[in-house]
Amino acid sequence: SPPGPALPRGPPLSRRSPVAAMADSGGGARGPPCPGAAAALRRWEHLRRRAATVAPWARGLLAVAAGLGLFYVVLRVPLRLRDSLAAVAVFLSTLTPKFYFALTVTSSFISGLIFVFEWWHFRKYGTSFIEQVSVSHLRPLIGGTESSPPAPAAFSSGESETSRQGMPECKVWRNPLNLFRGAEYSRYMWVTGKEPLTYYDMNLSAQDHQNFFTCDTDALRPSDTVMQKAWRERNPQARIKAAHQALELNNDCATAYVLLAEEEATTIVDAEKYFKQALKAGEMIYRKSQNCHSQSPQHEAQLRRDTNVLVYVKRRLAMCARKLGRIREAVKMMRDLMKEFPLLSMLNIHENLLEALLELQAYADVQAVLAKYDDISLPKSAAICYTAALLKARAVSERFSPETASKRGLSTAEINAVEAIHRAVEFNPHVPKYLLEMKSLVLPPEHILKRGDSEAVAYAFFHLQHWKRIEGALNLLHCTWEGTFRMIPYPLEKGHLFYPYPSCTETADRELLPTFHEVSVYPQKELPFFIHFTAGLCSFSAMLALLTHQFPELMVVFAKA
């Protein structure tokens, strides 16, 4: 292509200004620049050369003049501050004492409303509403980032199994001593008008039932297909109706009898009758599944389902016998069940056995069960820790006296008992208040959170009578349980005998326990700053309103001053 037009000649590149270079480059791309632009560039270059030849003192004088001009422009409005203050003084002089009284009363009322709302939000959710809004909404707007919690450090190979066993986590467990819905929970609701179970708790139970009592081969049997739908129903009457439909299709449907025993039976006697029918049907189905479980993976899944049904029914029958006073029969059924299905220890049947043995006052058998399950490699529970403390307290509680112990010191047996109590309290610090009847009990939920308030409620509901039966046990607990907190480091970065207490228990317990129950919180949270601030602001405004009402003229003079 032919060469383009020659660019206008200018000064050397090292001395050209950026503006001129950009203008020249733009003109070279589009053709020759227009005469007006060329004239402006020439004037700019002429001024730049003249400024380069000015003496340094002249450049300093120009800079001072420019600074003074800028200072005047910036402070031109504040220079009128005296006039503004005079106008404000005139306005204040026209205000009456009634205005100041109304202003202080309104301020006190608004700050009082904010304080009440902050207090309610903190009691219900455990956080300050203003802090939560500022962290989640205002901090991103101003460019801040929320600090993320530090990642847990990896365990070294030399640490014990206890350290690796559990980082704090909020895993919800099935309550091994859960009550019957129709015979116990529903009767409580009929009498008090309060719902003892939360929606979250019942939803977890529905998921458990679907996992325990259904499998992939249910579509081959019409009765099991109906029961699959029944376990997913939210309405109790719809579930009961579906169970009766399943029995019409198959009179040997064990899961239908289970549902009727749990929800339709209004007494423990009626529930036991349904469970006996479920046991008869379940054993027959279980024997059939054993004979053909190796044929296909579907048959293995069916065997697991039938095993779950059989274990569940036998366990509930043992609990019915315990509630009806046939305790030795219940103990025998639990022992046989644990011997027949030793791999199902995650169902915590040993906790049912511990409670029944304590009712029999068979303390040697209780100690034998603890020797097997109170192991360092096994997960702990409040039932295990507090039962171990109860047995050690039983040996010394009858003769224990705080005054005598302070004079002569603690004996070896008393030291062991106190250490066992400290160990139990560190595992679950909520239990002593229920055992000492410092807090009222409610019906235990169907699921519990280990080390949480829900587990404490479930343990104390069944074991309080065993502590009362041993003379002096509650007195020893009352004298020693608070000493545990002097041994636990604060803040709770690390535990003393167990891993650090999890910080997520409060939220999970609020979802598991009914709303009318006051959830126990550990460690106790300090009141947020904004609760103190709004309380102080409300009190100060109310004091000003009172003074303005009592001494109006004096407060007006004070406000004007």
Side-chain angles (χ1 to χ4, degrees), residues 19-32:
V19 177
M22 292 174 61
D24 288 353
S25 63
R30 300 178 183 176

Side-chain angles (χ1 to χ4, degrees), residues 257-309:
Y257 288 118
V258 169
L259 192 148
L260 294 178
E262 291 287 349
E263 302 199 22
E264 188 182 47
T266 56
T267 63
I268 301 298
V269 175
D270 295 339
E272 187 179 33
K273 292 178 181 178
Y274 277 124
F275 276 122
K276 285 181 177 179
Q277 292 176 288
L279 178 63
K280 182 179 178 181
E283 286 180 336
M284 180 178 63
I285 298 173
Y286 177 71
R287 283 193 295 268
K288 291 181 180 178
S289 299
Q290 275 187 317
N291 296 331
C292 58
H293 75 279
S294 59
Q295 295 180 5
S296 66
Q298 288 77 15
H299 287 86
E300 291 183 4
Q302 184 175 344
L303 176 62
R304 285 194 298 270
R305 193 280 307 268
D306 296 337
T307 303
N308 292 336
V309 173

Side-chain angles (χ1 to χ4, degrees), residues 156-400:
S156 62
S157 58
E159 287 186 335
S160 63
E161 182 67 22
T162 309
S163 300
R164 291 194 301 270
Q165 171 185 324
M167 286 299 290
E169 60 176 21
C170 290
K171 180 181 178 181
V172 177
W173 298 73
R174 182 82 177 176
N175 183 4
L177 298 170
N178 65 307
L179 305 177
F180 294 87
R181 283 197 186 179
E184 293 172 309
Y185 287 120
S186 296
R187 294 177 66 181
Y188 176 85
M189 186 175 63
W190 297 336
V191 173
T192 63
K194 298 178 180 179
E195 181 62 58
L197 296 175
T198 63
Y199 174 77
Y200 175 71
D201 193 14
M202 292 188 289
N203 187 41
L204 291 177
S205 297
Q207 296 177 17
D208 292 341
H209 295 153
Q210 294 177 50
N211 293 331
F212 290 163
F213 304 144
T214 62
C215 64
D216 297 335
T217 61
D218 287 344
L220 304 177
R221 296 175 296 278
S223 59
D224 290 336
T225 303
V226 173
M227 288 307 300
Q228 268 193 340
K229 297 178 181 178
W231 296 122
R232 290 195 292 267
E233 285 287 347
R234 292 186 179 181
N235 187 1
Q237 297 303 322
R239 289 195 295 269
I240 294 173
K241 182 179 179 181
H244 284 292
Q245 292 176 356
L247 289 176
E248 291 176 0
L249 297 172
N250 180 13
N251 195 37
D252 293 329
C253 183
T255 54
Y257 288 118
V258 169
L259 192 148
L260 294 178
E262 291 287 349
E263 302 199 22
E264 188 182 47
T266 56
T267 63
I268 301 298
V269 175
D270 295 339
E272 187 179 33
K273 292 178 181 178
Y274 277 124
F275 276 122
K276 285 181 177 179
Q277 292 176 288
L279 178 63
K280 182 179 178 181
E283 286 180 336
M284 180 178 63
I285 298 173
Y286 177 71
R287 283 193 295 268
K288 291 181 180 178
S289 299
Q290 275 187 317
N291 296 331
C292 58
H293 75 279
S294 59
Q295 295 180 5
S296 66
Q298 288 77 15
H299 287 86
E300 291 183 4
Q302 184 175 344
L303 176 62
R304 285 194 298 270
R305 193 280 307 268
D306 296 337
T307 303
N308 292 336
V309 173
L310 186 61
V311 171
Y312 185 89
V313 169
K314 287 187 174 182
R315 180 182 191 169
R316 296 302 259 178
L317 276 173
M319 295 176 68
C320 288
R322 162 68 183 92
K323 293 175 184 292
L324 294 174
R326 305 194 306 270
I327 305 173
R328 295 189 183 279
E329 178 186 346
V331 169
K332 183 180 182 303
M333 295 175 67
M334 292 174 191
R335 289 187 185 276
D336 293 342
L337 186 59
M338 294 169 64
K339 191 179 299 182
E340 186 178 359
F341 301 98
L343 299 180
L344 296 179
S345 60
M346 76 286 297
L347 298 177
N348 297 326
I349 304 175
H350 58 275
E351 295 193 13
N352 299 81
L353 180 60
L354 281 175
E355 197 277 329
L357 290 174
L358 286 172
E359 181 65 22
L360 288 176
Q361 302 184 37
Y363 298 113
D365 294 336
V366 173
Q367 185 62 53
V369 175
L370 287 177
K372 182 178 180 180
Y373 289 97
D374 193 6
D375 187 80
I376 191 173
S377 61
L378 296 177
K380 300 293 181 294
S381 66
I384 289 178
C385 294
Y386 278 90
T387 303
L390 177 62
L391 292 187
K392 292 188 176 180
R394 173 176 170 268
V396 299
S397 59
E398 232 180 285
R399 300 176 300 275
F400 179 78

Side-chain angles (χ1 to χ4, degrees), residues 382-549:
I384 289 178
C385 294
Y386 278 90
T387 303
L390 177 62
L391 292 187
K392 292 188 176 180
R394 173 176 170 268
V396 299
S397 59
E398 232 180 285
R399 300 176 300 275
F400 179 78
S401 172
E403 295 79 10
T404 307
S406 61
K407 292 178 182 178
R408 62 169 173 81
L410 295 175
S411 63
T412 304
E414 290 173 340
I415 291 176
N416 293 335
V418 171
E419 288 179 351
I421 291 176
H422 286 176
R423 171 178 178 262
V425 174
E426 182 182 351
F427 182 83
N428 193 318
H430 310 283
V431 173
K433 288 187 177 181
Y434 295 106
L435 293 180
L436 298 173
E437 298 182 89
M438 300 166 63
K439 286 195 66 177
S440 59
L441 279 170
V442 294
L443 294 186
E446 293 183 338
H447 291 79
I448 60 173
L449 182 67
K450 288 194 174 183
R451 307 188 74 178
D453 191 37
S454 53
E455 184 191 34
V457 169
Y459 172 81
F461 185 85
F462 293 99
H463 289 261
L464 176 59
Q465 55 182 336
H466 307 317
W467 281 82
K468 288 183 175 180
R469 186 178 294 121
I470 297 177
E471 185 179 355
L474 289 177
N475 179 42
L476 180 60
L477 177 68
H478 175 72
C479 296
T480 58
W481 74 279
E482 291 183 338
T484 309
F485 305 113
R486 292 192 293 268
M487 304 167 57
I488 302 175
Y490 186 84
L492 304 175
E493 303 97 354
K494 58 180 181 178
H496 180 61
L497 298 174
F498 299 98
Y499 52 86
Y501 190 82
S503 59
C504 56
T505 58
E506 180 186 357
T507 304
D509 280 331
R510 291 186 188 279
E511 294 183 340
L512 290 172
L513 293 167
T515 54
F516 56 84
H517 173 72
E518 184 180 355
V519 176
S520 177
V521 180
Y522 175 81
Q524 286 292 337
K525 293 184 178 180
E526 298 180 357
L527 290 178
F529 164 75
F530 284 103
I531 289 184
H532 294 286
F533 176 75
T534 52
L537 182 61
C538 177
S539 303
F540 180 71
S541 303
M543 183 182 65
L544 287 181
L546 179 63
L547 292 175
T548 306
H549 183 267

